Short mmCIF file of all heavy atoms in Angstrom, two decimals:
data_model
loop_
_atom_site.label_atom_id
_atom_site.label_comp_id
_atom_site.label_asym_id
_atom_site.label_seq_id
_atom_site.Cartn_x
_atom_site.Cartn_y
_atom_site.Cartn_z
N MET A 10 55.24 -106.22 87.88
CA MET A 10 54.58 -105.41 86.91
C MET A 10 55.09 -105.80 85.45
O MET A 10 56.26 -105.82 85.21
CB MET A 10 54.94 -103.91 87.16
CG MET A 10 54.31 -102.97 86.16
SD MET A 10 54.89 -101.29 86.47
CE MET A 10 53.64 -100.60 87.57
N LYS A 11 54.04 -106.17 84.57
CA LYS A 11 54.49 -106.47 83.22
C LYS A 11 54.39 -105.20 82.30
O LYS A 11 53.59 -104.39 82.55
CB LYS A 11 53.48 -107.57 82.67
CG LYS A 11 53.74 -108.93 83.21
CD LYS A 11 52.82 -109.97 82.53
CE LYS A 11 51.38 -109.90 83.08
NZ LYS A 11 50.50 -111.06 82.80
N LYS A 12 55.25 -105.24 81.30
CA LYS A 12 55.17 -104.14 80.30
C LYS A 12 54.40 -104.74 79.06
O LYS A 12 54.86 -105.71 78.39
CB LYS A 12 56.59 -103.77 79.93
CG LYS A 12 56.70 -102.43 79.28
CD LYS A 12 58.11 -102.01 79.26
CE LYS A 12 58.30 -100.62 78.80
NZ LYS A 12 59.63 -100.22 78.71
N ILE A 13 53.23 -104.17 78.82
CA ILE A 13 52.29 -104.73 77.81
C ILE A 13 52.00 -103.75 76.65
O ILE A 13 51.65 -102.67 76.89
CB ILE A 13 50.98 -105.25 78.46
CG1 ILE A 13 51.30 -106.16 79.60
CG2 ILE A 13 50.13 -105.93 77.40
CD1 ILE A 13 50.09 -106.68 80.36
N LEU A 14 52.28 -104.31 75.45
CA LEU A 14 51.97 -103.49 74.30
C LEU A 14 50.59 -103.82 73.75
O LEU A 14 50.25 -105.04 73.58
CB LEU A 14 53.04 -103.77 73.19
CG LEU A 14 52.93 -103.05 71.88
CD1 LEU A 14 53.27 -101.55 72.05
CD2 LEU A 14 53.92 -103.67 70.91
N VAL A 15 49.74 -102.83 73.45
CA VAL A 15 48.41 -103.05 72.91
C VAL A 15 48.27 -102.29 71.63
O VAL A 15 48.28 -101.03 71.66
CB VAL A 15 47.27 -102.54 73.90
CG1 VAL A 15 45.89 -102.81 73.22
CG2 VAL A 15 47.41 -103.30 75.20
N THR A 16 48.33 -103.02 70.45
CA THR A 16 48.12 -102.27 69.19
C THR A 16 46.67 -102.12 68.92
O THR A 16 45.88 -102.97 69.34
CB THR A 16 48.83 -103.06 67.95
OG1 THR A 16 47.94 -104.15 67.61
CG2 THR A 16 50.18 -103.61 68.31
N GLY A 17 46.35 -100.93 68.43
CA GLY A 17 44.89 -100.56 68.34
C GLY A 17 44.32 -100.16 69.64
O GLY A 17 43.15 -100.29 69.87
N GLY A 18 45.19 -99.69 70.50
CA GLY A 18 44.84 -99.38 71.89
C GLY A 18 43.81 -98.23 72.06
O GLY A 18 43.13 -98.15 73.11
N ALA A 19 43.66 -97.42 71.02
CA ALA A 19 42.67 -96.31 71.12
C ALA A 19 41.26 -96.70 70.51
O ALA A 19 40.36 -95.91 70.39
CB ALA A 19 43.22 -95.06 70.40
N GLY A 20 41.17 -97.93 70.00
CA GLY A 20 39.98 -98.42 69.44
C GLY A 20 38.91 -98.87 70.50
O GLY A 20 39.17 -98.73 71.62
N PHE A 21 37.84 -99.42 70.00
CA PHE A 21 36.76 -99.87 70.90
C PHE A 21 37.26 -100.93 71.84
O PHE A 21 37.29 -100.69 73.10
CB PHE A 21 35.55 -100.40 70.02
CG PHE A 21 34.63 -101.32 70.69
CD1 PHE A 21 34.11 -100.98 71.92
CD2 PHE A 21 34.25 -102.48 70.08
CE1 PHE A 21 33.15 -101.79 72.53
CE2 PHE A 21 33.39 -103.32 70.72
CZ PHE A 21 32.78 -103.04 71.95
N ILE A 22 37.73 -102.03 71.41
CA ILE A 22 38.16 -103.11 72.26
C ILE A 22 39.50 -102.76 73.03
O ILE A 22 39.65 -102.93 74.19
CB ILE A 22 38.34 -104.42 71.51
CG1 ILE A 22 37.03 -104.92 70.90
CG2 ILE A 22 38.95 -105.50 72.38
CD1 ILE A 22 37.10 -106.11 70.02
N GLY A 23 40.42 -102.14 72.19
CA GLY A 23 41.69 -101.74 72.78
C GLY A 23 41.56 -100.90 73.98
O GLY A 23 42.38 -101.04 74.98
N SER A 24 40.67 -99.91 73.98
CA SER A 24 40.54 -99.00 75.07
C SER A 24 40.11 -99.70 76.34
O SER A 24 40.65 -99.41 77.45
CB SER A 24 39.62 -97.83 74.73
OG SER A 24 38.32 -98.35 74.44
N HIS A 25 39.19 -100.64 76.23
CA HIS A 25 38.74 -101.40 77.41
C HIS A 25 39.90 -102.32 77.90
O HIS A 25 40.02 -102.49 79.15
CB HIS A 25 37.57 -102.27 77.06
CG HIS A 25 36.31 -101.50 76.86
ND1 HIS A 25 35.42 -101.18 77.89
CD2 HIS A 25 35.72 -100.90 75.76
CE1 HIS A 25 34.43 -100.45 77.43
NE2 HIS A 25 34.53 -100.32 76.10
N LEU A 26 40.59 -102.82 76.96
CA LEU A 26 41.71 -103.73 77.40
C LEU A 26 42.83 -102.96 78.13
O LEU A 26 43.30 -103.39 79.16
CB LEU A 26 42.28 -104.43 76.16
CG LEU A 26 43.48 -105.45 76.44
CD1 LEU A 26 42.94 -106.59 77.29
CD2 LEU A 26 44.04 -105.89 75.07
N CYS A 27 43.20 -101.77 77.59
CA CYS A 27 44.24 -100.95 78.23
C CYS A 27 43.82 -100.69 79.68
O CYS A 27 44.57 -100.75 80.63
CB CYS A 27 44.46 -99.62 77.48
SG CYS A 27 45.28 -99.89 75.90
N GLU A 28 42.54 -100.26 79.83
CA GLU A 28 42.04 -99.92 81.23
C GLU A 28 42.13 -101.09 82.16
O GLU A 28 42.64 -100.97 83.28
CB GLU A 28 40.61 -99.47 81.11
CG GLU A 28 40.01 -98.95 82.40
CD GLU A 28 38.67 -98.29 82.17
OE1 GLU A 28 38.34 -97.62 81.14
OE2 GLU A 28 37.87 -98.48 83.14
N LYS A 29 41.75 -102.27 81.64
CA LYS A 29 41.77 -103.48 82.55
C LYS A 29 43.26 -103.78 82.88
O LYS A 29 43.56 -104.07 84.06
CB LYS A 29 41.14 -104.68 81.79
CG LYS A 29 41.50 -105.93 82.51
CD LYS A 29 40.42 -107.00 82.48
CE LYS A 29 40.97 -108.23 83.16
NZ LYS A 29 40.08 -109.24 83.38
N LEU A 30 44.21 -103.67 81.85
CA LEU A 30 45.51 -104.08 82.19
C LEU A 30 46.22 -103.07 83.16
O LEU A 30 46.98 -103.46 84.01
CB LEU A 30 46.40 -104.16 80.87
CG LEU A 30 45.88 -105.25 79.88
CD1 LEU A 30 46.63 -105.06 78.50
CD2 LEU A 30 46.09 -106.67 80.47
N LEU A 31 45.86 -101.80 83.01
CA LEU A 31 46.39 -100.83 83.93
C LEU A 31 45.85 -101.07 85.39
O LEU A 31 46.59 -101.03 86.34
CB LEU A 31 46.01 -99.41 83.54
CG LEU A 31 46.82 -98.85 82.35
CD1 LEU A 31 46.08 -97.60 81.83
CD2 LEU A 31 48.22 -98.52 82.70
N ASN A 32 44.51 -101.36 85.44
CA ASN A 32 43.90 -101.58 86.72
C ASN A 32 44.52 -102.75 87.44
O ASN A 32 44.48 -102.88 88.66
CB ASN A 32 42.41 -101.80 86.60
CG ASN A 32 41.66 -100.56 86.33
OD1 ASN A 32 42.14 -99.47 86.54
ND2 ASN A 32 40.41 -100.67 85.79
N GLU A 33 45.07 -103.73 86.65
CA GLU A 33 45.66 -104.87 87.22
C GLU A 33 47.18 -104.62 87.61
O GLU A 33 47.88 -105.54 87.98
CB GLU A 33 45.63 -106.13 86.31
CG GLU A 33 44.19 -106.67 86.23
CD GLU A 33 44.02 -107.74 85.11
OE1 GLU A 33 44.97 -107.92 84.34
OE2 GLU A 33 42.96 -108.36 85.14
N GLY A 34 47.59 -103.44 87.45
CA GLY A 34 48.94 -103.05 87.91
C GLY A 34 50.02 -103.21 86.84
O GLY A 34 51.21 -103.30 87.26
N ASN A 35 49.69 -103.24 85.61
CA ASN A 35 50.66 -103.41 84.54
C ASN A 35 51.02 -102.03 83.95
O ASN A 35 50.31 -101.07 84.13
CB ASN A 35 50.22 -104.23 83.42
CG ASN A 35 49.76 -105.68 83.88
OD1 ASN A 35 50.64 -106.39 84.31
ND2 ASN A 35 48.49 -105.99 83.91
N GLU A 36 52.17 -102.03 83.26
CA GLU A 36 52.59 -100.86 82.48
C GLU A 36 52.05 -101.07 81.01
O GLU A 36 52.33 -102.17 80.49
CB GLU A 36 54.13 -100.74 82.50
CG GLU A 36 54.61 -99.42 82.00
CD GLU A 36 56.13 -99.27 82.25
OE1 GLU A 36 56.67 -99.95 83.10
OE2 GLU A 36 56.68 -98.43 81.59
N VAL A 37 51.35 -100.10 80.42
CA VAL A 37 50.78 -100.33 79.14
C VAL A 37 51.23 -99.30 78.13
O VAL A 37 51.22 -98.07 78.38
CB VAL A 37 49.20 -100.30 79.29
CG1 VAL A 37 48.55 -100.31 77.92
CG2 VAL A 37 48.66 -101.34 80.16
N LEU A 38 51.65 -99.83 76.92
CA LEU A 38 51.98 -98.92 75.79
C LEU A 38 50.89 -99.18 74.76
O LEU A 38 50.77 -100.33 74.26
CB LEU A 38 53.26 -99.53 75.21
CG LEU A 38 54.58 -98.78 75.41
CD1 LEU A 38 55.13 -99.16 76.78
CD2 LEU A 38 55.56 -99.29 74.33
N ALA A 39 50.18 -98.13 74.44
CA ALA A 39 49.18 -98.32 73.35
C ALA A 39 49.73 -97.70 72.05
O ALA A 39 50.22 -96.57 72.07
CB ALA A 39 47.89 -97.63 73.76
N LEU A 40 49.61 -98.52 70.97
CA LEU A 40 50.05 -98.03 69.63
C LEU A 40 48.77 -97.86 68.88
O LEU A 40 47.91 -98.69 68.87
CB LEU A 40 50.84 -98.99 68.91
CG LEU A 40 52.22 -99.42 69.34
CD1 LEU A 40 52.91 -100.20 68.17
CD2 LEU A 40 53.05 -98.19 69.62
N ASP A 41 48.67 -96.71 68.14
CA ASP A 41 47.46 -96.54 67.27
C ASP A 41 47.74 -95.49 66.18
O ASP A 41 48.51 -94.50 66.41
CB ASP A 41 46.25 -96.08 68.11
CG ASP A 41 44.94 -96.55 67.53
OD1 ASP A 41 44.63 -96.02 66.38
OD2 ASP A 41 44.30 -97.42 68.12
N ASN A 42 47.20 -95.71 64.98
CA ASN A 42 47.32 -94.69 63.96
C ASN A 42 46.07 -93.81 63.81
O ASN A 42 46.00 -92.99 62.98
CB ASN A 42 47.62 -95.35 62.59
CG ASN A 42 46.46 -96.08 62.03
OD1 ASN A 42 45.43 -96.25 62.68
ND2 ASN A 42 46.57 -96.55 60.74
N PHE A 43 45.12 -94.06 64.64
CA PHE A 43 43.83 -93.31 64.85
C PHE A 43 42.99 -93.29 63.56
O PHE A 43 42.29 -92.39 63.32
CB PHE A 43 44.18 -91.83 65.29
CG PHE A 43 44.84 -91.78 66.61
CD1 PHE A 43 46.17 -91.36 66.70
CD2 PHE A 43 44.14 -92.12 67.73
CE1 PHE A 43 46.82 -91.35 67.89
CE2 PHE A 43 44.83 -92.14 68.97
CZ PHE A 43 46.15 -91.74 69.05
N PHE A 44 43.09 -94.41 62.82
CA PHE A 44 42.23 -94.53 61.63
C PHE A 44 40.75 -94.61 62.09
O PHE A 44 39.96 -93.89 61.61
CB PHE A 44 42.62 -95.74 60.77
CG PHE A 44 41.66 -96.02 59.60
CD1 PHE A 44 41.36 -94.96 58.73
CD2 PHE A 44 41.17 -97.25 59.42
CE1 PHE A 44 40.42 -95.20 57.72
CE2 PHE A 44 40.23 -97.51 58.34
CZ PHE A 44 39.95 -96.46 57.51
N THR A 45 40.46 -95.54 62.93
CA THR A 45 39.08 -95.60 63.53
C THR A 45 39.04 -95.36 64.99
O THR A 45 37.99 -95.20 65.55
CB THR A 45 38.42 -97.07 63.27
OG1 THR A 45 39.39 -98.04 63.68
CG2 THR A 45 38.18 -97.25 61.69
#
Side-chain angles (χ1 to χ4, degrees):
M10 180 185 267
K11 284 185 284 194
K12 200 168 188 184
I13 306 180
L14 180 68
V15 179
T16 78
F21 159 50
I22 297 175
S24 57
H25 288 273
L26 181 64
C27 288
E28 186 171 323
K29 164 147 180 173
L30 296 174
L31 283 168
N32 286 342
E33 286 175 350
N35 300 294
E36 193 171 340
V37 175
L38 254 81
L40 292 193
D41 210 292
N42 70 352
F43 300 110
F44 174 49
T45 51

